[in-house]
Structures are given as structure tokens and as C-alpha cells.
Amino acid sequence: GIQVEQSPPDLILQEGANSTLRCNFSDSVNNLQWFHQNPWGQLINLFYIPSGTKQNGRLSATTVATERYSLLYISSSQTTDSGVYFCAVGEGGGNKLTFGTGTQLKVEL
Amino acid sequence: GAVVSQHPSRVICKSGTSVKIECRSLDFQATTMFWYRQFPKKSLMLMATSNEGSKATYEQGVEKDKFLINHASLTLSTLTVTSAHPEDSSFYICSARVTSGSSEQFFGPGTRLTVL
């Protein structure tokens, strides 16, 4: 099956700093989503981005499908950005998602 | 929009009992729902795909007689963990895909199961 790797696995930032999270996948995909999992376990949809670039406030994402990677940019980070960030990809017609390994982000004052 | 709920949020049961978890799409219809399992500090692993009006499709290694899935309507899927054992303790999360349109999935808040 498709492999999805995220980097870095852990990241500690000072409040106000910018960061880039990366998601590499091993095969062609027709779905790619970025999520933030909060401390209570809820997965919050950040972006649905099988290709191209999107922005939402301090967050933006870019997927280069031909090169099999996606990037999530967080600018001016806040303590509330802390948590685990997952990318997940879907392939074929079944719409199943394969989750990446996650990036644990901690934003400190 | 695109809200998914799960009930219960937390359940503790004795070994050997069965537990039912409900997943509902509140403001949209979902032909397809998905059930995931997450161990502490780990990623989500797909257990099965739930299709309205038909049998669920289970991932390799997931016991279909252990994890019973029913998708009786376009807004409700249930996961029943039968004869639960301590190794079934985990965080179970469902998701739903809007019937028409993109393949974006929306996730419920999860159910934490502890089997004593």
C-alpha cells in the first residue's frame, strides 16, 4: 500500500515563529488532507488539497502531486497551535485515507 | 457544516461484554463512513469502510466478527466491539464523506474505550 511519511516528527517553537511541515507519499493520490488533532483527540480539518495551493489565515498548504509531497506552513505560531498535525492521502476510487506518521508541535511562550 | 458526532465519547466496560459506538453525520448525508483506530501517540489506522445498505469492507487483519459494522441509514453507522478484551482498549474515530462532491472526509470526536 501507499506509504506516507511526515517530517519532522517533533517540533518545538517559540510563539511568533514560522514553521513548515512536510508530507511525502509514495504513489499518486486523488485526495490529500491536512488535520490538526487537538489534545482531546478531535481531528480538525485544515485543508483538502490534492493539488495546488490554499491559504486560510495564518495557515497555508501546497501540494505538488507530480513530485509526491505536500507542505503545511504555519506563520506567527500561537500556543493554541500545539498538537499533532497529520496529513492523510487517498488513492483509487474507494476514498480510503492513509494517515501519515504525524508531527507533534509544541509552541512555547 | 459537515459535522460528525460520536456517542459515547468515553466508555469503560468489563471484559467479555459488547460495546456499541454510534457515528452520525449531522448536517449532510453520507453514503460512506469509515472507522479508524488510534493507539496512544500513534497514527490512525483504517479498520473498515461502511457503506449504506451493504456489507462493510474490512482492512486486512481486522476481524469482522469482532468488530461488527452496520450502516443502516445515510446518517448513521455503528461499530459494535463484541466480547471486548483489554487489548481492544483504544481510541475509535469515525469519519464520513459527503455523498456528492469532493472526497473530503470529516471526522467525529472519537470514542475512548477502556476494557477492564
Side-chain angles (χ1 to χ4, degrees):
Chain A
I2 193 168
Q3 304 297 313
V4 186
E5 293 188 2
Q6 292 183 241
S7 61
D10 298 280
L11 184 60
I12 300 176
L13 299 174
Q14 294 294 310
E15 195 172 45
N18 303 326
S19 63
T20 301
L21 281 57
R22 186 177 180 102
C23 172
N24 291 333
F25 42 95
S26 61
D27 208 341
S28 300
V29 300
N30 55 21
N31 181 5
L32 191 146
Q33 294 184 240
W34 281 97
F35 301 94
H36 176 209
Q37 188 169 37
N38 67 22
W40 298 272
Q42 172 78 62
L43 281 169
I44 299 165
N45 287 40
L46 298 178
F47 293 102
Y48 168 72
I49 187 167
S51 64
T53 298
K54 291 185 177 179
Q55 181 163 4
N56 184 5
R58 295 182 296 106
L59 302 181
S60 63
T62 296
T63 298
V64 184
T66 53
E67 297 187 20
R68 299 179 184 170
Y69 74 88
S70 183
L71 302 174
L72 176 69
Y73 305 96
I74 304 174
S75 64
S76 303
S77 58
Q78 301 175 358
T79 56
T80 52
D81 294 332
S82 298
V84 183
Y85 288 81
F86 287 106
C87 74
V89 302
E91 53 177 339
N95 295 301
K96 300 189 300 184
L97 284 179
T98 300
F99 275 75
T101 47
T103 293
Q104 174 80 57
L105 174 64
K106 183 176 182 181
V107 181
E108 300 177 332
L109 291 172
Chain B
V3 179
V4 178
S5 69
Q6 271 185 252
H7 178 79
S9 58
R10 183 183 294 267
V11 58
I12 301 173
C13 68
K14 293 182 178 180
S15 186
T17 61
S18 294
V19 174
K20 180 185 284 188
I21 303 170
E22 292 186 348
C23 176
R24 294 182 184 273
S25 57
L26 298 185
D27 52 0
F28 65 100
Q29 293 185 328
T31 303
T32 306
M33 292 183 172
F34 303 87
W35 288 95
Y36 296 81
R37 183 173 181 177
Q38 185 179 30
F39 291 103
K41 298 192 182 299
K42 297 291 185 181
S43 188
L44 281 74
M45 293 189 62
L46 179 67
M47 298 174 63
T49 302
S50 170
N51 299 296
E52 187 266 338
S54 64
K55 291 183 179 180
T57 303
Y58 291 83
E59 295 300 299
Q60 190 172 7
V62 178
E63 299 177 60
K64 61 180 181 180
D65 295 329
K66 174 75 166 173
F67 300 99
L68 300 179
I69 292 172
N70 183 274
H71 193 155
S73 77
L74 286 172
T75 59
L76 173 64
S77 176
T78 60
L79 169 67
T80 301
V81 183
T82 62
S83 187
H85 291 284
E87 58 265 30
D88 299 324
S89 298
S90 193
F91 192 55
Y92 293 88
I93 311 173
C94 72
S95 72
R97 186 177 69 87
V98 178
T99 298
S100 61
S102 78
S103 55
E104 184 174 7
Q105 291 185 26
F106 299 89
F107 284 74
T111 296
R112 191 162 303 283
L113 170 64
T114 303
V115 185
L116 302 176

PDB file of all heavy atoms in Angstrom, chain B residues 65-86:
ATOM      1  N   ASP B  65     -15.897 -10.406  12.611  1.00  0.00           N
ATOM      2  CA  ASP B  65     -16.816 -10.926  13.624  1.00  0.00           C
ATOM      3  C   ASP B  65     -16.579 -10.267  14.981  1.00  0.00           C
ATOM      4  O   ASP B  65     -17.431 -10.356  15.864  1.00  0.00           O
ATOM      5  CB  ASP B  65     -16.645 -12.436  13.756  1.00  0.00           C
ATOM      6  CG  ASP B  65     -17.041 -13.158  12.488  1.00  0.00           C
ATOM      7  OD1 ASP B  65     -17.935 -12.650  11.779  1.00  0.00           O
ATOM      8  OD2 ASP B  65     -16.456 -14.214  12.196  1.00  0.00           O
ATOM      9  N   LYS B  66     -15.457  -9.640  15.134  1.00  0.00           N
ATOM     10  CA  LYS B  66     -15.124  -8.947  16.368  1.00  0.00           C
ATOM     11  C   LYS B  66     -15.653  -7.512  16.344  1.00  0.00           C
ATOM     12  O   LYS B  66     -16.165  -7.005  17.325  1.00  0.00           O
ATOM     13  CB  LYS B  66     -13.597  -8.920  16.510  1.00  0.00           C
ATOM     14  CG  LYS B  66     -13.053  -8.119  17.655  1.00  0.00           C
ATOM     15  CD  LYS B  66     -13.248  -8.850  18.935  1.00  0.00           C
ATOM     16  CE  LYS B  66     -12.436  -8.239  20.038  1.00  0.00           C
ATOM     17  NZ  LYS B  66     -12.768  -8.867  21.333  1.00  0.00           N
ATOM     18  N   PHE B  67     -15.512  -6.890  15.202  1.00  0.00           N
ATOM     19  CA  PHE B  67     -15.917  -5.500  15.025  1.00  0.00           C
ATOM     20  C   PHE B  67     -17.060  -5.455  14.004  1.00  0.00           C
ATOM     21  O   PHE B  67     -16.834  -5.405  12.800  1.00  0.00           O
ATOM     22  CB  PHE B  67     -14.728  -4.654  14.555  1.00  0.00           C
ATOM     23  CG  PHE B  67     -13.570  -4.636  15.509  1.00  0.00           C
ATOM     24  CD1 PHE B  67     -12.466  -5.455  15.302  1.00  0.00           C
ATOM     25  CD2 PHE B  67     -13.586  -3.806  16.622  1.00  0.00           C
ATOM     26  CE1 PHE B  67     -11.393  -5.436  16.183  1.00  0.00           C
ATOM     27  CE2 PHE B  67     -12.518  -3.782  17.508  1.00  0.00           C
ATOM     28  CZ  PHE B  67     -11.419  -4.599  17.292  1.00  0.00           C
ATOM     29  N   LEU B  68     -18.284  -5.474  14.537  1.00  0.00           N
ATOM     30  CA  LEU B  68     -19.464  -5.502  13.674  1.00  0.00           C
ATOM     31  C   LEU B  68     -19.856  -4.085  13.276  1.00  0.00           C
ATOM     32  O   LEU B  68     -19.994  -3.212  14.120  1.00  0.00           O
ATOM     33  CB  LEU B  68     -20.630  -6.175  14.406  1.00  0.00           C
ATOM     34  CG  LEU B  68     -20.409  -7.633  14.847  1.00  0.00           C
ATOM     35  CD1 LEU B  68     -21.645  -8.141  15.567  1.00  0.00           C
ATOM     36  CD2 LEU B  68     -20.064  -8.512  13.657  1.00  0.00           C
ATOM     37  N   ILE B  69     -20.042  -3.880  11.986  1.00  0.00           N
ATOM     38  CA  ILE B  69     -20.390  -2.560  11.484  1.00  0.00           C
ATOM     39  C   ILE B  69     -21.730  -2.626  10.768  1.00  0.00           C
ATOM     40  O   ILE B  69     -21.956  -3.510   9.944  1.00  0.00           O
ATOM     41  CB  ILE B  69     -19.301  -2.021  10.544  1.00  0.00           C
ATOM     42  CG1 ILE B  69     -18.030  -1.729  11.346  1.00  0.00           C
ATOM     43  CG2 ILE B  69     -19.772  -0.773   9.805  1.00  0.00           C
ATOM     44  CD1 ILE B  69     -16.832  -1.370  10.504  1.00  0.00           C
ATOM     45  N   ASN B  70     -22.586  -1.658  11.102  1.00  0.00           N
ATOM     46  CA  ASN B  70     -23.880  -1.538  10.455  1.00  0.00           C
ATOM     47  C   ASN B  70     -24.088  -0.103  10.002  1.00  0.00           C
ATOM     48  O   ASN B  70     -23.850   0.833  10.769  1.00  0.00           O
ATOM     49  CB  ASN B  70     -24.999  -1.951  11.431  1.00  0.00           C
ATOM     50  CG  ASN B  70     -26.356  -1.919  10.773  1.00  0.00           C
ATOM     51  OD1 ASN B  70     -27.017  -0.882  10.717  1.00  0.00           O
ATOM     52  ND2 ASN B  70     -26.775  -3.043  10.229  1.00  0.00           N
ATOM     53  N   HIS B  71     -24.514   0.062   8.756  1.00  0.00           N
ATOM     54  CA  HIS B  71     -24.724   1.406   8.197  1.00  0.00           C
ATOM     55  C   HIS B  71     -26.147   1.434   7.659  1.00  0.00           C
ATOM     56  O   HIS B  71     -26.374   1.280   6.465  1.00  0.00           O
ATOM     57  CB  HIS B  71     -23.690   1.649   7.092  1.00  0.00           C
ATOM     58  CG  HIS B  71     -23.578   3.074   6.655  1.00  0.00           C
ATOM     59  ND1 HIS B  71     -22.424   3.567   6.076  1.00  0.00           N
ATOM     60  CD2 HIS B  71     -24.442   4.101   6.679  1.00  0.00           C
ATOM     61  CE1 HIS B  71     -22.595   4.842   5.775  1.00  0.00           C
ATOM     62  NE2 HIS B  71     -23.809   5.193   6.130  1.00  0.00           N
ATOM     63  N   ALA B  72     -27.092   1.613   8.573  1.00  0.00           N
ATOM     64  CA  ALA B  72     -28.498   1.422   8.252  1.00  0.00           C
ATOM     65  C   ALA B  72     -29.144   2.613   7.555  1.00  0.00           C
ATOM     66  O   ALA B  72     -30.190   2.467   6.924  1.00  0.00           O
ATOM     67  CB  ALA B  72     -29.276   1.107   9.527  1.00  0.00           C
ATOM     68  N   SER B  73     -28.544   3.781   7.665  1.00  0.00           N
ATOM     69  CA  SER B  73     -29.129   4.958   7.028  1.00  0.00           C
ATOM     70  C   SER B  73     -28.018   5.859   6.512  1.00  0.00           C
ATOM     71  O   SER B  73     -26.841   5.607   6.760  1.00  0.00           O
ATOM     72  CB  SER B  73     -30.000   5.733   8.025  1.00  0.00           C
ATOM     73  OG  SER B  73     -29.192   6.493   8.918  1.00  0.00           O
ATOM     74  N   LEU B  74     -28.391   6.895   5.803  1.00  0.00           N
ATOM     75  CA  LEU B  74     -27.394   7.793   5.225  1.00  0.00           C
ATOM     76  C   LEU B  74     -26.768   8.725   6.260  1.00  0.00           C
ATOM     77  O   LEU B  74     -25.888   9.513   5.923  1.00  0.00           O
ATOM     78  CB  LEU B  74     -28.033   8.637   4.112  1.00  0.00           C
ATOM     79  CG  LEU B  74     -28.310   7.885   2.815  1.00  0.00           C
ATOM     80  CD1 LEU B  74     -29.107   8.750   1.848  1.00  0.00           C
ATOM     81  CD2 LEU B  74     -27.011   7.427   2.157  1.00  0.00           C
ATOM     82  N   THR B  75     -27.204   8.630   7.515  1.00  0.00           N
ATOM     83  CA  THR B  75     -26.629   9.491   8.546  1.00  0.00           C
ATOM     84  C   THR B  75     -26.123   8.735   9.770  1.00  0.00           C
ATOM     85  O   THR B  75     -25.670   9.349  10.733  1.00  0.00           O
ATOM     86  CB  THR B  75     -27.673  10.530   9.026  1.00  0.00           C
ATOM     87  OG1 THR B  75     -28.806   9.839   9.539  1.00  0.00           O
ATOM     88  CG2 THR B  75     -28.095  11.455   7.889  1.00  0.00           C
ATOM     89  N   LEU B  76     -26.177   7.406   9.746  1.00  0.00           N
ATOM     90  CA  LEU B  76     -25.795   6.653  10.942  1.00  0.00           C
ATOM     91  C   LEU B  76     -25.039   5.385  10.586  1.00  0.00           C
ATOM     92  O   LEU B  76     -25.490   4.568   9.785  1.00  0.00           O
ATOM     93  CB  LEU B  76     -27.036   6.283  11.755  1.00  0.00           C
ATOM     94  CG  LEU B  76     -26.819   5.349  12.954  1.00  0.00           C
ATOM     95  CD1 LEU B  76     -25.936   6.009  14.004  1.00  0.00           C
ATOM     96  CD2 LEU B  76     -28.162   4.930  13.552  1.00  0.00           C
ATOM     97  N   SER B  77     -23.871   5.222  11.212  1.00  0.00           N
ATOM     98  CA  SER B  77     -23.130   3.969  11.160  1.00  0.00           C
ATOM     99  C   SER B  77     -22.797   3.581  12.593  1.00  0.00           C
ATOM    100  O   SER B  77     -22.537   4.451  13.429  1.00  0.00           O
ATOM    101  CB  SER B  77     -21.838   4.126  10.360  1.00  0.00           C
ATOM    102  OG  SER B  77     -21.067   2.928  10.394  1.00  0.00           O
ATOM    103  N   THR B  78     -22.839   2.288  12.890  1.00  0.00           N
ATOM    104  CA  THR B  78     -22.498   1.830  14.229  1.00  0.00           C
ATOM    105  C   THR B  78     -21.379   0.799  14.169  1.00  0.00           C
ATOM    106  O   THR B  78     -21.295   0.007  13.227  1.00  0.00           O
ATOM    107  CB  THR B  78     -23.711   1.209  14.947  1.00  0.00           C
ATOM    108  OG1 THR B  78     -24.186   0.088  14.195  1.00  0.00           O
ATOM    109  CG2 THR B  78     -24.821   2.230  15.117  1.00  0.00           C
ATOM    110  N   LEU B  79     -20.533   0.841  15.186  1.00  0.00           N
ATOM    111  CA  LEU B  79     -19.452  -0.131  15.363  1.00  0.00           C
ATOM    112  C   LEU B  79     -19.700  -0.823  16.691  1.00  0.00           C
ATOM    113  O   LEU B  79     -19.793  -0.160  17.731  1.00  0.00           O
ATOM    114  CB  LEU B  79     -18.096   0.574  15.389  1.00  0.00           C
ATOM    115  CG  LEU B  79     -16.886  -0.261  15.833  1.00  0.00           C
ATOM    116  CD1 LEU B  79     -16.573  -1.347  14.815  1.00  0.00           C
ATOM    117  CD2 LEU B  79     -15.655   0.624  16.049  1.00  0.00           C
ATOM    118  N   THR B  80     -19.833  -2.137  16.653  1.00  0.00           N
ATOM    119  CA  THR B  80     -20.006  -2.911  17.878  1.00  0.00           C
ATOM    120  C   THR B  80     -18.767  -3.762  18.101  1.00  0.00           C
ATOM    121  O   THR B  80     -18.403  -4.575  17.250  1.00  0.00           O
ATOM    122  CB  THR B  80     -21.246  -3.807  17.807  1.00  0.00           C
ATOM    123  OG1 THR B  80     -22.406  -2.997  17.600  1.00  0.00           O
ATOM    124  CG2 THR B  80     -21.420  -4.594  19.096  1.00  0.00           C
ATOM    125  N   VAL B  81     -18.126  -3.537  19.235  1.00  0.00           N
ATOM    126  CA  VAL B  81     -16.983  -4.358  19.636  1.00  0.00           C
ATOM    127  C   VAL B  81     -17.550  -5.506  20.453  1.00  0.00           C
ATOM    128  O   VAL B  81     -18.072  -5.298  21.558  1.00  0.00           O
ATOM    129  CB  VAL B  81     -15.967  -3.548  20.461  1.00  0.00           C
ATOM    130  CG1 VAL B  81     -14.754  -4.405  20.804  1.00  0.00           C
ATOM    131  CG2 VAL B  81     -15.545  -2.290  19.712  1.00  0.00           C
ATOM    132  N   THR B  82     -17.492  -6.710  19.921  1.00  0.00           N
ATOM    133  CA  THR B  82     -18.108  -7.864  20.582  1.00  0.00           C
ATOM    134  C   THR B  82     -17.104  -8.564  21.491  1.00  0.00           C
ATOM    135  O   THR B  82     -15.905  -8.624  21.184  1.00  0.00           O
ATOM    136  CB  THR B  82     -18.640  -8.863  19.549  1.00  0.00           C
ATOM    137  OG1 THR B  82     -17.536  -9.349  18.770  1.00  0.00           O
ATOM    138  CG2 THR B  82     -19.648  -8.208  18.619  1.00  0.00           C
ATOM    139  N   SER B  83     -17.601  -9.063  22.622  1.00  0.00           N
ATOM    140  CA  SER B  83     -16.775  -9.793  23.580  1.00  0.00           C
ATOM    141  C   SER B  83     -15.434  -9.068  23.774  1.00  0.00           C
ATOM    142  O   SER B  83     -14.362  -9.615  23.481  1.00  0.00           O
ATOM    143  CB  SER B  83     -16.545 -11.224  23.086  1.00  0.00           C
ATOM    144  OG  SER B  83     -15.882 -11.989  24.069  1.00  0.00           O
ATOM    145  N   ALA B  84     -15.556  -7.845  24.243  1.00  0.00           N
ATOM    146  CA  ALA B  84     -14.366  -6.991  24.342  1.00  0.00           C
ATOM    147  C   ALA B  84     -13.337  -7.550  25.321  1.00  0.00           C
ATOM    148  O   ALA B  84     -13.689  -8.143  26.350  1.00  0.00           O
ATOM    149  CB  ALA B  84     -14.790  -5.585  24.767  1.00  0.00           C
ATOM    150  N   HIS B  85     -12.074  -7.347  24.989  1.00  0.00           N
ATOM    151  CA  HIS B  85     -10.957  -7.742  25.852  1.00  0.00           C
ATOM    152  C   HIS B  85     -10.049  -6.543  26.057  1.00  0.00           C
ATOM    153  O   HIS B  85     -10.111  -5.568  25.283  1.00  0.00           O
ATOM    154  CB  HIS B  85     -10.198  -8.903  25.220  1.00  0.00           C
ATOM    155  CG  HIS B  85     -10.979 -10.178  25.198  1.00  0.00           C
ATOM    156  ND1 HIS B  85     -11.167 -10.953  26.323  1.00  0.00           N
ATOM    157  CD2 HIS B  85     -11.640 -10.799  24.189  1.00  0.00           C
ATOM    158  CE1 HIS B  85     -11.896 -11.997  26.015  1.00  0.00           C
ATOM    159  NE2 HIS B  85     -12.207 -11.940  24.730  1.00  0.00           N
ATOM    160  N   PRO B  86      -9.203  -6.571  27.059  1.00  0.00           N
ATOM    161  CA  PRO B  86      -8.344  -5.413  27.333  1.00  0.00           C
ATOM    162  C   PRO B  86      -7.546  -4.931  26.122  1.00  0.00           C
ATOM    163  O   PRO B  86      -7.326  -3.729  25.971  1.00  0.00           O
ATOM    164  CB  PRO B  86      -7.430  -5.917  28.452  1.00  0.00           C
ATOM    165  CG  PRO B  86      -8.288  -6.889  29.196  1.00  0.00           C
ATOM    166  CD  PRO B  86      -9.092  -7.588  28.124  1.00  0.00           C
TER     167      PRO B  86
END
